[in-house]
């Protein structure tokens, strides 16, 4: 199953998920002058980052909104980025956060698990109910696909809904997580984790051990590292035997060149060095 490929990639390359949340303004000035066309500029920037980070990252998360914002040209860059990642045999997470039901969800599943926008995993919101996930599950079972379902996010607004108490003294995200963990038991990989994974922010480390124990077979996509306050030692608590999660970094990697004098001249190498620093930071915390 696809989760076994991701698990193996973590074991080989570390926990870094490179977030290709690429805005045209992120391109160094000279590079943007070379590629003034939106489609070509976004893709060539992504391609350079991918080539430099492929052996030091577990997977790539491509956030569709950044490309949608540029219309058709942006979506062409999105499609070309996905195609290039597939060519390189990288694990792809399409960050689309869909959360609709019935026929609409069926169309989203078709759009992002087949055709021009095909990816390995997609992100979903469960807050319309578990039936909003159902149209995606045949692809998980039959087409070697996976999903990451929002459980507890890393933003401050998570407390508005996800942290509300329930009748049995649990929080809403506890209930959602348990339902996702139970659902995932039907889609287990050989690695001991399910292809139905969960998005789990790392900004509340005091709850990490409880969460990892409760969601024993749920593989985590972990946001919140770095600028949002999450530390490597926090992330280690969300893992199981050093695996079971990937940690996303987007601007931290894409814009690493801005922290280096003359970094723009080799922005992709700066991204590689930041991915290596992040990888080693997490591995050292696990050890």
């Amino acid at each position: 199953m696809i989760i076994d490929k991701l698990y193996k990639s973590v074991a080989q390359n570390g926990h870094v998920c490179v977030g290709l949340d690429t805005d045209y303004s992120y391109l160094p000035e000279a590079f943007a002058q070379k590629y003034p066309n939106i489609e070509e500029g976004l893709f060539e920037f992504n391609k350079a980052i991918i080539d430099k980070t492929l052996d030091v990252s577990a997977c790539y998360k491509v956030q569709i909104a950044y490309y949608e914002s540029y219309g058709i040209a942006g979506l062409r860059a999105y499609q070309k980025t996905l195609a290039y990642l597939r060519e390189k045999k990288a694990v792809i997470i399409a960050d689309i956060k869909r959360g609709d039901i019935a026929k609409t969800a069926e169309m989203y599943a078709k759009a992002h698990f087949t055709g021009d926008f095909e990816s390995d995993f997609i992100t979903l919101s469960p807050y319309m109910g578990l039936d909003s996930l159902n149209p995606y599950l045949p692809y998980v079972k039959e087409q070697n696909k996976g999903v990451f379902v929002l459980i507890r996010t890393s933003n401050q607004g998570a407390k508005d809904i996800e942290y509300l108490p329930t009748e049995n003294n649990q929080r809403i995200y506890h209930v959602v997580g348990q339902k996702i963990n139970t659902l995932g038991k039907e889609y287990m990989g050989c690695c001991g984790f399910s292809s139905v994974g969960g998005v789990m922010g790392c900004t509340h480390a005091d709850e990490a051990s409880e969460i990892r124990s409760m969601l024993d077979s749920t593989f985590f996509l972990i946001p919140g590292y770095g600028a949002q306050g999450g530390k490597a030692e926090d992330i280690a608590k969300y893992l199981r035997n050093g695996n079971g999660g990937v940690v996303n970094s987007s601007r931290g990697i894409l814009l690493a060149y801005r922290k280096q004098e003359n970094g723009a001249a080799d922005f992709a190498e700066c991204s590689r060095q930041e991915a290596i620093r992040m990888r080693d930071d997490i591995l050292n915390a696990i050890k």
Side-chain angles (χ1 to χ4, degrees):
M1 299 188 78
I2 189 61
I3 194 62
D4 293 319
K5 181 178 179 181
L6 182 54
Y7 184 94
K8 183 178 180 181
S9 185
V10 169
Q12 291 179 338
N13 297 340
H15 303 77
V16 175
C17 172
V18 176
L20 295 175
D21 305 358
T22 309
D23 187 85
Y24 190 79
S25 67
Y26 295 172
L27 276 60
E29 184 177 354
F31 195 83
Q33 289 174 353
K34 183 178 180 181
Y35 298 106
N37 175 276
I38 291 290
E39 175 185 343
E40 192 176 15
L42 292 176
F43 172 67
E44 291 297 335
F45 181 82
N46 287 348
K47 181 175 180 290
I49 300 289
I50 293 164
D51 287 345
K52 281 288 190 176
T53 59
L54 196 62
D55 64 328
V56 295
S57 58
C59 59
Y60 294 82
K61 182 180 75 67
V62 194
Q63 167 52 258
I64 195 171
Y66 282 77
Y67 303 89
E68 289 175 328
S69 70
Y70 291 105
I72 298 301
L75 286 175
R76 288 198 188 102
Y78 178 78
Q79 183 271 326
K80 289 170 72 172
T81 298
L82 297 180
Y84 190 69
L85 287 168
R86 287 197 299 273
E87 178 185 323
K88 293 295 182 179
K89 295 180 171 51
V91 178
I92 309 167
I93 303 170
D95 194 357
I96 62 172
K97 294 188 181 72
R98 300 303 195 248
D100 219 317
I101 57 171
K103 197 67 179 177
T104 302
E106 288 182 31
M107 294 299 103
Y108 281 138
K110 181 180 179 181
H112 296 283
F113 279 149
T114 69
D116 290 341
F117 298 154
E118 182 181 359
S119 63
D120 297 309
F121 291 87
I122 59 176
T123 57
L124 300 174
S125 172
Y127 285 93
M128 281 185 73
L130 291 187
D131 60 338
S132 67
L133 308 180
N134 290 340
Y136 303 90
L137 298 178
Y139 292 91
V140 177
K141 185 175 182 179
E142 301 163 12
Q143 304 296 327
N144 196 29
K145 300 300 182 183
V147 297
F148 284 106
V149 183
L150 298 180
I151 297 175
R152 191 193 67 194
T153 54
S154 58
N155 59 309
Q156 286 295 317
K159 295 180 179 178
D160 295 340
I161 296 174
E162 296 167 21
Y163 276 73
L164 292 176
T166 63
E167 292 178 357
N168 58 356
N169 258 349
Q170 290 186 310
R171 292 168 172 160
I172 284 178
Y173 82 80
H174 288 139
V175 176
V176 172
Q178 288 166 346
K179 289 181 180 295
I180 297 307
N181 196 67
T182 299
L183 175 65
K185 298 291 188 184
E186 300 180 36
Y187 308 94
M188 295 293 292
C190 297
C191 63
F193 289 97
S194 172
S195 289
V196 175
V199 177
M200 180 61 64
C202 67
T203 48
H204 296 85
D206 55 314
E207 303 165 337
S209 297
E210 176 193 8
I211 290 298
R212 181 74 275 175
S213 176
M214 181 187 303
L215 310 183
D216 62 328
S217 57
T218 303
F219 196 101
F220 294 147
L221 169 59
I222 305 173
Y225 173 84
Q228 286 183 289
K231 298 179 175 61
E233 52 265 36
D234 302 330
I235 288 162
K237 299 173 185 176
Y238 287 97
L239 305 176
R240 195 181 81 198
N241 298 324
N243 209 315
V246 290
V247 185
N248 182 71
S249 176
S250 299
R251 282 174 292 180
I253 290 176
L254 299 182
L255 299 180
Y257 75 89
R258 292 185 178 176
K259 298 179 181 178
Q260 304 294 328
E261 187 175 356
N262 301 320
D266 199 351
F267 66 89
E269 178 61 26
C270 292
S271 293
R272 175 182 176 80
Q273 292 307 315
E274 172 58 20
I276 291 172
R277 185 208 64 78
M278 180 179 167
R279 178 200 66 186
D280 292 349
D281 187 34
I282 296 168
L283 289 175
N284 287 333
I286 293 169
K287 293 175 184 176

